Amino acid sequence: MPELPEVETIARALRSGGRGGVSVLGRTVQRAELLWPGCLQDVDAGAFLGQTVGCEVKAVTRRGKYLCFSVGERFLLVH
């Protein structure tokens, strides 16, 4: 389980493209894979994937140990 400072470091790197990487901000989701459909609430797996692919990543924030990606009109929480 990552510690809080590590999660913040990852969020910053995703936003700024740390360590020579590329920022995810403004990038488009090309492909998505759902490994555990039980994690979705109020949407089926096919609809989720259809609504996620092609969306632009607008922001990356952190809430506790969760990374929060603003993708299109929705948010993806990643732990």
Side-chain angles (χ1 to χ4, degrees):
M1 172 99 39
E3 296 298 326
L4 202 54
E6 294 167 328
V7 177
E8 181 59 32
T9 298
I10 292 170
R12 287 181 187 167
L14 289 168
R15 285 191 298 265
S16 66
R19 292 194 175 191
V22 179
S23 172
V24 298
L25 300 179
R27 309 246 351 208
T28 302
V29 177
Q30 298 291 318
R31 183 176 62 88
E33 183 178 355
L34 185 59
L35 300 177
W36 187 40
C39 70
L40 296 176
Q41 181 180 4
D42 300 332
V43 65
D44 66 65
F48 168 76
L49 294 172
Q51 294 170 1
T52 303
V53 174
C55 289
E56 178 184 336
V57 178
K58 297 178 180 178
V60 178
T61 57
R62 178 190 57 78
R63 179 78 175 186
K65 291 187 179 183
Y66 290 91
L67 291 173
C68 184
F69 293 82
S70 175
V71 181
E73 299 298 317
R74 299 190 183 275
F75 292 92
L76 297 176
L77 294 177
V78 179
H79 189 271

